Amino acid sequence: MDIYLGIIFRTTVIYLVILILFRMMGKREVGELSILDLVVSIMIGDIAVLSFEDLEKPFLRQMIPMLVLAFIQILLAFISLKSVRFRNIVDGTPQIIINQGKIDEKAMRKQRYNFDDLLTQLREQGINDLNDVQFAILESSGKLSVIKNNQDKRSKIDETPFPLIVDGKIQESNLNKIGKNHFWLRHQLKKLGETKINEISICGYIDGEFYIDKNETKK
């Protein structure tokens, strides 16, 4: 009888602890979990199972690894918020698979992404004709984001689906994709009255128009 009571007690406590830990680690959809999120989730699950295999071991000692993993995950998430470079290393960066209607085979090989994957994800979004796609971006979560061609089929060379500034940092690679550099960006922002790039949370540029959101905490 004591064994069954012990199992019930441990199950209840572990359930509550895991629920609290995952709430602390932040909200993400399953399909948007980063590699770190996935690894930590699997490890916490394995540790939880091990706690039932030997009821003779102190329960608190078996809970410590779960708490340590949660602490590491929260710490790394905090570092990711502060460092774009670290975030790119951990989560990866989006890749343009279709650019202005042209498939980038090099980017596909780099991501080990084949044409079957591409066509499947396009069909899931109701797209059967590649000519209808202006941009297709493989997100770091593995999801394919698609920007369709406009009905008038205009080619917008100045459009970019990626931000030019993130967390106060200029994204040089995204500027290169539209044939611009940081001198051009600074000049355009200066005309808009924006001289402090470190105060900009995100800056997007599409169809010749800028979208700017400023970080109010840095004022």
Side-chain angles (χ1 to χ4, degrees), residues 13-23 25 44-45 48 66:
V13 172
I14 289 175
Y15 171 79
L16 293 175
V17 169
I18 291 178
L19 181 63
I20 293 171
L21 292 180
F22 275 83
R23 288 298 300 271
M25 288 190 296
I44 287 178
M66 295 174 61

Side-chain angles (χ1 to χ4, degrees), residues 186-195 209-212:
R186 290 179 184 273
H187 179 68
Q188 296 299 318
L189 292 176
K190 188 175 181 180
K191 291 196 295 185
L192 296 173
E194 302 292 345
T195 57
E209 298 289 336
F210 282 93
Y211 167 80
I212 299 173

Side-chain angles (χ1 to χ4, degrees), residues 5-39:
L5 289 175
I7 293 174
I8 293 172
F9 173 75
R10 291 193 178 201
T11 301
T12 303
V13 172
I14 289 175
Y15 171 79
L16 293 175
V17 169
I18 291 178
L19 181 63
I20 293 171
L21 292 180
F22 275 83
R23 288 298 300 271
M24 290 174 61
M25 288 190 296
K27 296 180 179 179
R28 285 200 185 188
E29 295 181 8
V30 174
E32 296 179 352
L33 293 178
S34 68
I35 294 176
L36 282 179
D37 293 327
L38 185 60
V39 170

Side-chain angles (χ1 to χ4, degrees), residues 164-165 170 175 180-197 200 205 210 212:
L164 303 182
I165 297 175
I170 295 177
L175 279 170
K180 307 293 184 183
N181 55 42
H182 69 277
F183 296 109
W184 170 86
L185 178 59
R186 290 179 184 273
H187 179 68
Q188 296 299 318
L189 292 176
K190 188 175 181 180
K191 291 196 295 185
L192 296 173
E194 302 292 345
T195 57
K196 297 181 179 179
I197 290 178
I200 298 176
Y205 180 69
F210 282 93
I212 299 173

Side-chain angles (χ1 to χ4, degrees), residues 61-96:
R61 185 188 300 174
Q62 295 175 327
M63 294 291 293
I64 290 176
M66 295 174 61
L67 298 175
V68 171
L69 282 172
F71 173 77
I72 293 173
Q73 176 65 1
I74 293 171
L75 177 62
L76 294 179
F78 177 78
I79 296 174
S80 293
L81 287 174
K82 299 296 182 180
S83 172
V84 176
R85 179 175 296 180
F86 180 80
R87 186 162 63 242
N88 289 340
I89 292 173
V90 173
D91 293 338
T93 56
Q95 290 284 326
I96 297 180

